[in-house]
Amino acid sequence: MSSLAPADLLVDPSLIIDLDLRSPETMRKLKAILPRVSGACRLFLVDPLAPAAAANARALGATAVLPTSASVIDIHAAIATHFGIEQGDGAIGAAVRQSVQAGVDAMDGSFQALVEGKAFSMAGMDGASRQIADAIRGVGANEWLATVKSYHVGTYQHCMLVTGVASAFGIGSGMARRDVIKLTVAGLLHDIGKAAIPIEILDKPGALTDDELKVMRSHPVVGSTYLMEKSGIDSDILTSVRSHHELLDGKGYPDGLDAPQIDDLTRILTVCDVYAALIERRSYKPARSPAQAMIVMDAMASVGKLETSLVRELGRIMLAPRAAA
Ligand SMILES: [Fe+2]
Ligand SMILES: [Fe+2]
């Protein structure tokens, strides 16, 4: 606060003020500064549990008052509304596209690092995951997933869809933000081992031969081994990368684990991975609708491959009119 000079505020016509408005000293300073900033969009972030703060924000001429938990999308929307900007594909669309691009860039960097045997860097992963979670919270999962489908194809599209579904699952089931971000990172990284699979197998339009299937099925071990050796990533993310193709009936791979050996993060990631694969269009199969995908997943749960409660929770979230927003 003491470092803010009125001249700084005059540069930008949009102010986002995130200060404790219950403090008389803060109020006194703002009352002195704000009158010198004419025509600005004044956006206040306030503690929703402190009604006095919202009242003080309005007294200071707030054009919008949002909770301190507001996402980047919420903030963009409030500014766009103030300036009468069309929001359909404006600020919100741009934020969604930026979040998708950030995810693809982070994933691209990690795939490249694996191919080159370089150390894995978390730089970009957390930031991208935060942007993705904010965007999904702002526009809903289905719109975010539609953006991914319209911009990217192949393995990156699949990984981004899993990422979006995982993030939506975390948000929609009320997880703490820290856990939502972890789940989103796990989505971005789950198929990192595919960076080592030859493209002719990865993108083969038809069924794989037994030998090709063996190569394809090496990706969880390749990916988790790389991360174990070249990164300091959390062990539960490592486990989920290795075990996201395990099934509760013991018939998954690479280790054929039984249900008690499969942890919660992995079970969630598996459900998100299966859902994403079902809603994807591939050269050998059409995309299923969310409702059709849930029918297939219910059937997999009923024969003991997927956890029923997680499938139900995912269905509740993804079939909602504005999924996970
Ligand atoms: Fe996979
Ligand atoms: Fe996958």
Side-chain angles (χ1 to χ4, degrees):
M1 189 63 198
S2 58
S3 61
L4 262 187
D8 296 330
L9 303 177
L10 289 167
V11 175
D12 188 338
S14 298
L15 297 180
I16 301 172
I17 299 165
D18 183 10
L19 296 167
D20 184 0
L21 302 183
R22 290 167 301 182
S23 154
E25 178 62 7
T26 301
M27 286 299 288
R28 189 185 65 71
K29 287 184 176 176
L30 283 172
K31 276 177 188 164
I33 292 169
L34 289 178
R36 298 187 229 172
V37 189
S38 60
C41 169
R42 295 173 186 174
L43 190 60
F44 283 78
L45 302 178
V46 301
D47 180 349
L49 298 176
N56 282 347
R58 290 193 189 90
L60 290 167
T63 47
V65 179
L66 297 176
T68 43
S69 61
S71 68
V72 173
I73 301 284
D74 298 330
I75 293 170
H76 276 158
I79 294 172
T81 301
H82 175 76
F83 288 109
I85 297 168
E86 187 63 48
Q87 290 181 40
D89 195 37
I92 295 178
V96 169
R97 285 194 297 277
Q98 277 168 19
S99 72
V100 171
Q101 196 55 49
V104 170
D105 288 346
M107 214 162 48
D108 196 31
S110 59
F111 272 51
Q112 206 60 41
L114 184 146
V115 169
E116 294 170 2
K118 290 184 178 163
F120 170 82
S121 166
M122 267 306 276
M125 274 287 156
D126 270 334
S129 296
R130 287 195 171 83
Q131 280 190 54
I132 290 166
D134 282 346
I136 289 174
R137 198 176 270 119
V139 299
N142 289 331
E143 190 170 330
W144 194 89
L145 296 174
T147 303
V148 170
K149 284 186 174 182
S150 66
Y151 281 91
H152 297 279
V153 293
T155 302
Y156 280 7
Q157 178 180 104
H158 167 74
C159 292
M160 290 302 290
L161 293 179
V162 175
T163 300
V165 174
S167 198
F169 186 98
I171 293 165
S173 60
M175 281 184 190
R177 183 167 170 79
R178 190 186 60 240
D179 294 329
V180 172
I181 301 306
K182 177 179 272 192
L183 194 47
T184 309
V185 170
L188 283 171
L189 288 175
H190 82 287
D191 272 343
I192 185 174
K194 285 186 179 172
I197 307 295
I199 197 80
E200 53 275 19
I201 294 180
L202 212 52
D203 289 345
K204 187 174 175 181
L208 299 178
T209 65
D210 286 351
D211 284 346
E212 289 167 340
L213 199 58
K214 211 169 151 191
V215 174
M216 181 66 125
R217 289 187 165 187
S218 68
H219 76 269
V221 172
V222 170
S224 57
T225 303
Y226 164 71
L227 290 173
M228 192 164 57
E229 291 173 353
K230 304 275 187 181
S231 81
I233 205 159
D234 289 354
S235 62
D236 44 358
I237 293 183
L238 267 184
T239 302
S240 69
V241 171
R242 181 175 179 104
S243 302
H244 69 275
H245 286 289
E246 299 290 351
L247 295 168
L248 300 184
D249 62 2
K251 293 181 180 163
Y253 65 92
D255 301 306
L257 299 179
D258 291 323
Q261 298 171 285
I262 305 174
D263 65 20
D264 288 343
L265 180 66
T266 304
R267 291 178 187 216
I268 294 170
L269 192 60
T270 300
V271 165
C272 297
D273 188 33
V274 171
Y275 179 83
L278 289 167
I279 63 166
E280 274 172 69
R281 185 173 58 79
R282 296 193 180 161
S283 55
Y284 53 90
K285 74 163 188 70
R288 286 183 171 82
S289 69
Q292 290 167 334
M294 291 317 304
I295 291 171
V296 175
M297 294 189 69
D298 278 340
M300 290 178 75
S302 71
V303 294
K305 291 188 178 297
L306 300 174
E307 185 165 325
T308 304
S309 63
L310 294 179
V311 170
R312 285 202 185 128
E313 182 70 346
L314 184 68
R316 183 188 68 73
I317 293 165
M318 300 310 298
L319 300 181
R322 199 159 171 263

